[in-house]
Amino acid sequence: MNSGPIQPELAEPYLLSVLSSAGLDIEYSRAEGNTLYSVDEDGREFSVLDLAGGYGSLLLGHNNPEITAYATSLLEARTPVLTQFSRHSPANELAAELNRIIHRELGTDEAYYAIFANTGAEAVEAAVKHAEMDRVMRLGAIGEEIAAHIEQARAAVSGGSAVVAAGVDGSVGTGSAGRTDIADVADFDELVAALTRANAEQFSRPPVLLAPEGSFHGKLVGSVQLTHNEGYRAPFRALAAQARFVPLDQPETLRKTVDEERGILLDLVVENGVVRTVERPAPVFCAFVLEPIQGEGGIREVSRAYAEEIQRICAEIDCPVIVDEIQSGMGRTGSFLAGSQIGLRGDYYVLAKSMGGGLAKTSVMLVREARYRREFEMVHSSTFAKDGFSTLIALKVLELLEADGGRLYRRAAEVGGRLLAALESVRADFPDVVNDVRGRGLIAGLEFRDQGDAASEALREPARAGLFGYVLAGWLLQDHRIRTFPTASAVNTLRFEPSVQLTDADIDHVEGALREVCTRIRRQA
């Protein structure tokens, strides 16, 4: 049958052109473990070592045999997949198992409620959306308290048991950062009117979102505003609340930012027969969102000291902490949560990627019981979230991770340690080419020095165009059959996120290939 002329590329044509220019536009025919297979022009199959690992989605490898066998059994059993608005026992089992693991790692017994989604970015948005509902409800409760206090004060003044503090005209003036002052007035109605005007700005103020510089939390309308890369955010700035980005591991700047953004509401009290205004903090902070190890920001770790300062300041201002473990979690660093190794505790956790075992598209937002708002379940939903297939696959993934006393966690730490040692060896021998090695477990980054002033045009021009990392990835793929990519917001850093099936022979192959690439750069070839 004649299929007609070859159709033009309609799916992401610009992206394909970038991949093509770097020699990365290979189509793969099958996959297993850390290996992808393709067919050359002569019809011969060749293999590629995959170190990109689905951007961290393949901790258990491509088509893990236990997961694929289980998935097949689910399909053969005609397991219900889409049964919205009904009881979902597997989802409840999954939430309970996630709680059990988190309790063990964090040493807590407080429950985390689960809201399921399809992708990491969706789960981030669900967490922020829930945090904003919580903030708005807290703000509303304060508004009701202030209204009640006004009426109590009005009754006291009307009954003659209290008077307004002596003052002038009820004018409103700007006080210290984040607050508004009211001049004392003699007339109660003037006082209430001035207080209401002063509070109106705080009640209508958009939420303040905080995130470290270098962060990446997705590219949807809301999540992209939490992604530090200006190129991703700028076109959509008007569509959602803007985040305040603070330098990574600089606690003093975090304190300064928080102090600049604080909000104050004015309330009334009756003390010793006198009606006075008092200040109370306004809940303007929606959430602090961070990754324990920044993935797209160049594989950069949050320090224990910075994690402690975040938690201290956020507790002080009643700002929830959302821990994005989409890329670093699910055992990739040697523990279920990367943040648990630095003492980071979240009011929210976001998990995705490897949670689907390389087959299912699923994610989850977990919210601490003390923060949970049950009303959220009625205003947030998704057709495909919490489906029967992906939920059961996720349960299988947890079963494999937890088997044999957490053997896969230990293997991730051990194999990752060997991989990082190999990268460090390359850096030590090529300090003029490699700037840094970062990471933990099976999430590692190799940062190359900028080549924007290189003598070689083949190096200089891609570097100036922000494509140097893709050129390096192309060399590794074409010359060494190794697949990896630069991180999205740190394009001189190559990522390494293989599965736990990585072997010593694979690591030796990677080290040899990187040495050849570094030699090529050093020679400006």
Side-chain angles (χ1 to χ4, degrees), residues 173-187:
T174 302
S176 58
R179 58 164 285 185
T180 304
D181 292 330
I182 294 180
D184 291 332
V185 295
D187 181 86

Side-chain angles (χ1 to χ4, degrees), residues 21 41 66 74 98 100 104 112-113 217 237 246 271 325 380 397 414 430 470-471 502 523:
S21 66
E41 294 179 353
E66 291 182 78
L74 293 177
L98 287 167
R100 185 189 68 78
R104 181 191 68 216
Y112 280 82
Y113 287 93
H217 299 287
R237 195 184 306 277
V246 294
E271 295 177 340
E325 293 268 9
H380 181 86
V397 169
E414 293 165 3
F430 294 89
Y470 293 97
V471 170
L502 193 72
R523 293 174 178 172

Side-chain angles (χ1 to χ4, degrees), residues 229 295-300 438 447 469 486-494:
N229 189 318
E296 305 308 325
I299 319 297
R300 298 182 184 276
R438 295 183 293 270
E447 182 185 0
T487 55
S489 299
V491 294
N492 287 345
T493 300
L494 292 182

